[in-house]
Amino acid sequence: MDIREYLEEKECKIRERGSDHISTHCFFCDEDTNKAGRLYINVDESNEEKYGVFFCFLCQAKGGINTIREHFGDAPIKNDYVFTSNPIVEVAARYYQDKLLENPEAYKYLTEKRGLFDETITQARVGWADGGLVHHLLQKGFTAEDIQSTRLVNKYGEDHFKNEIIFPYLEHGVAISLRGKKIGGITRSTPGPLPIPYGIDTLIGEETVTAAEGEIDQLTLWQMGYPAIGLPGVMTFKDEWEEYLDEAKRIYILFDQDKAGKAGAEKLASRLGPRTRVVELPKKGIDVNDYYVKYGKERDDFEYLMRKSK
């Protein structure tokens, strides 16, 4: 099935978003047909697992080819594939997201201490681990063995994350992995490697992107309008992650202004080649969020730093 032709037959206006995606107005939430469209659809025919997978950045609708065909009243086709993660991870992310609203201290930390807007927190699906996940998952009908396989619980059957802010790592809006951060403290993952960088959905169809350290800095850049990924550490970029930057013609690296951050930025720039620029923050020891919150800087200030970057 040719997705472009099918959608054009349904009078959808198509916009190319790089080589792998197209966008159109979202017919699930009746987005204005004159808009460029926030419904993104994967059209990479070389990747059968993701071909036809869609995600709407307005209403959060997601699915595959047959979901689209069903919407238009057409019969399903064979070999439809809907990209998803381990369903337990997605259920956990939703649970944590709901719990954040029950924790004023965590919410104030994100908004007042870190300067994040309500909309940013909601769209990124930031959550709070209250220690009740295992009980919730068992109530949902998942077995203890399946829950254990996600590494979201330890060998004693207790929640891996507790009293921590939760950042879901999303791909096409679906939670693939989770990381937790103590308020004012460290950020940690579940055992095992992270499958993707943080924030990859923001890069779709973008030619100018940014890379930062961690989730908070990524959200800060995204909130200012920059497509951004957040790396869990300055030396943690994996070979397989380069594909997420394939369409980018310019990559600005904004790591922490310390010895490790500078070394990590230079290493990543060397790896990704001449399309990169290393942005130096003008105060020793600060990061993106510090510059944004503590020094009251805004997009214009970051633009200035990017223009003078090397």
Side-chain angles (χ1 to χ4, degrees), residues 97-170:
Q97 186 176 7
D98 290 340
K99 290 301 175 182
L100 180 63
L101 300 177
E102 300 176 12
N103 191 308
E105 180 188 3
Y107 210 90
K108 285 180 67 176
Y109 170 78
L110 291 168
T111 55
E112 296 181 11
K113 294 288 186 180
R114 295 298 196 161
L116 299 179
F117 300 156
D118 294 340
E119 182 181 10
T120 303
I121 294 168
T122 299
Q123 290 186 351
R125 300 178 59 192
V126 180
W128 174 257
D130 67 340
L133 178 65
V134 173
H135 178 68
H136 176 75
L137 293 175
L138 289 171
Q139 283 189 321
K140 288 290 185 181
F142 296 110
T143 67
E145 182 181 7
D146 287 342
I147 297 170
Q148 190 87 43
S149 71
T150 65
R151 308 288 186 91
L152 292 173
V153 300
N154 61 27
K155 62 182 180 179
Y156 304 109
E158 302 167 333
D159 286 15
H160 177 74
F161 297 117
K162 189 172 182 180
N163 297 325
E164 296 172 68
I165 294 169
I166 300 297
F167 299 97
Y169 278 51
L170 307 176

Side-chain angles (χ1 to χ4, degrees), residues 227-238:
I229 56 169
L231 304 181
V234 294
M235 299 294 183
T236 58
F237 193 87
K238 302 177 183 179

Side-chain angles (χ1 to χ4, degrees), residues 34-208:
N34 292 319
K35 298 292 185 181
R38 300 296 301 282
L39 181 69
Y40 281 71
I41 305 169
N42 191 300
V43 290
D44 181 7
E45 296 184 38
S46 66
N47 190 336
E48 293 182 358
E49 291 186 338
K50 293 185 180 180
Y51 183 71
V53 169
F54 68 86
F55 178 72
C56 175
F57 284 88
L58 290 178
C59 68
Q60 316 299 306
K62 55 182 177 287
I65 295 172
N66 281 340
T67 307
I68 296 174
R69 292 181 66 87
E70 180 182 4
H71 174 82
F72 288 112
D74 295 322
I77 60 175
K78 293 182 180 180
N79 300 324
D80 183 37
Y81 180 90
V82 177
F83 174 77
T84 184
S85 67
N86 183 321
I88 295 177
V89 177
E90 173 64 18
V91 172
R94 293 179 184 177
Y95 171 79
Y96 288 141
Q97 186 176 7
D98 290 340
K99 290 301 175 182
L100 180 63
L101 300 177
E102 300 176 12
N103 191 308
E105 180 188 3
Y107 210 90
K108 285 180 67 176
Y109 170 78
L110 291 168
T111 55
E112 296 181 11
K113 294 288 186 180
R114 295 298 196 161
L116 299 179
F117 300 156
D118 294 340
E119 182 181 10
T120 303
I121 294 168
T122 299
Q123 290 186 351
R125 300 178 59 192
V126 180
W128 174 257
D130 67 340
L133 178 65
V134 173
H135 178 68
H136 176 75
L137 293 175
L138 289 171
Q139 283 189 321
K140 288 290 185 181
F142 296 110
T143 67
E145 182 181 7
D146 287 342
I147 297 170
Q148 190 87 43
S149 71
T150 65
R151 308 288 186 91
L152 292 173
V153 300
N154 61 27
K155 62 182 180 179
Y156 304 109
E158 302 167 333
D159 286 15
H160 177 74
F161 297 117
K162 189 172 182 180
N163 297 325
E164 296 172 68
I165 294 169
I166 300 297
F167 299 97
Y169 278 51
L170 307 176
E171 186 169 12
H172 297 288
V174 178
I176 303 299
S177 186
L178 307 171
R179 292 192 85 208
K181 176 180 176 58
K182 296 289 186 181
I183 294 179
I186 63 169
T187 305
R188 64 196 185 105
S189 308
T190 52
L194 282 169
I196 57 176
Y198 185 69
I200 60 170
D201 280 353
T202 71
L203 305 187
I204 296 175
E206 301 290 348
E207 294 185 348
T208 300

